[in-house]
């Protein structure tokens, strides 16, 4: 059987990495796996999964421009949390090409914040670094 690398990590198999989350077989319990599975959902245009893992107060309605972005890779820089406030953080760099900008390669360097909603860890917002 052909092995499909996971979008979040070329050395991991999608089947054993983000796919179980995307299929709803299980839900990420740590901010790193949540972050990785959300990145993979962007790559695979899995809008349902992005909405599922997005806090209800900040989730956008519109994901129209997804086709313009070709994701090139994810690098996790730092994972930390503030347990007093029940806030969980991932600092990452995601590289991409945007066909609306003549396919120029660019990157997002973001500190994402995750909190619990309905007993599930979800993405609430991020700060560009
Ligand atoms: Zn993955």
């Amino acid at each position: 059987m052909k092995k499909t690398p996971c979008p979040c990590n070329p050395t991991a198999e999608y089947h054993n990495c983000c796919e179980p989350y995307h299929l709803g077989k299980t839900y990420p319990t740590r901010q790193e796996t949540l972050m990785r599975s959300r990145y993979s959902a962007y790559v695979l245009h899995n809008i349902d999964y992005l909405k599922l893992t997005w806090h209800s107060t900040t989730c956008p309605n519109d994901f129209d421009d997804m086709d313009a972005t070709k994701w090139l890779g994810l690098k996790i820089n730092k994972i930390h949390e503030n347990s007093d406030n029940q806030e969980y953080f991932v600092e990452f760099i995601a590289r991409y090409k945007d066909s609306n900008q003549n396919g120029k390669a660019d990157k997002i360097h973001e500190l994402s914040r995750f909190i619990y909603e309905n007993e599930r860890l979800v993405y609430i917002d991020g700060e560009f670094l």
Side-chain angles (χ1 to χ4, degrees):
M1 216 176 89
K2 194 175 154 282
K3 292 180 178 175
T4 308
C6 194
C8 86
N9 176 2
T11 66
E13 271 185 67
Y14 178 55
H15 180 70
N16 297 326
C17 189
C18 294
E19 189 183 52
Y21 304 123
H22 293 170
L23 294 177
K25 288 185 174 169
T26 182
Y27 191 88
T29 53
R30 293 182 54 245
Q31 69 267 41
E32 182 182 358
T33 38
L34 181 57
M35 169 71 224
R36 286 183 174 281
S37 63
R38 283 175 49 81
Y39 172 83
S40 294
Y42 272 106
V43 174
L44 301 170
H45 295 189
N46 186 339
I47 290 167
D48 288 344
Y49 187 76
L50 292 171
K51 288 183 173 171
L52 177 75
T53 54
W54 213 308
H55 197 275
S56 57
T57 60
T58 54
C59 185
N61 293 318
D62 205 347
F63 287 84
D64 273 350
D65 57 357
M66 283 190 99
D67 284 340
T69 306
K70 182 174 166 32
W71 295 96
L72 304 174
L74 173 70
K75 184 171 170 277
I76 306 265
N77 287 356
K78 197 176 175 199
I79 298 156
H80 58 106
E81 60 201 55
N82 179 347
S83 3
D84 293 343
N85 294 337
Q86 301 259 342
E87 291 178 319
Y88 302 82
F89 298 92
V90 177
E91 184 198 327
F92 68 93
I93 293 174
R95 297 181 186 283
Y96 66 95
K97 280 185 181 174
D98 187 338
S99 60
N100 292 332
Q101 296 168 15
N102 301 319
K104 193 168 78 72
D106 209 338
K107 67 181 178 189
I108 295 169
H109 184 186
E110 187 186 301
L111 180 67
S112 290
R113 187 163 67 105
F114 301 89
I115 65 169
Y116 278 90
E117 182 179 46
N118 301 326
E119 296 174 14
R120 277 199 313 215
L121 199 59
V122 293
Y123 174 79
I124 180 151
D125 55 22
E127 177 190 337
F128 287 121
L129 301 172

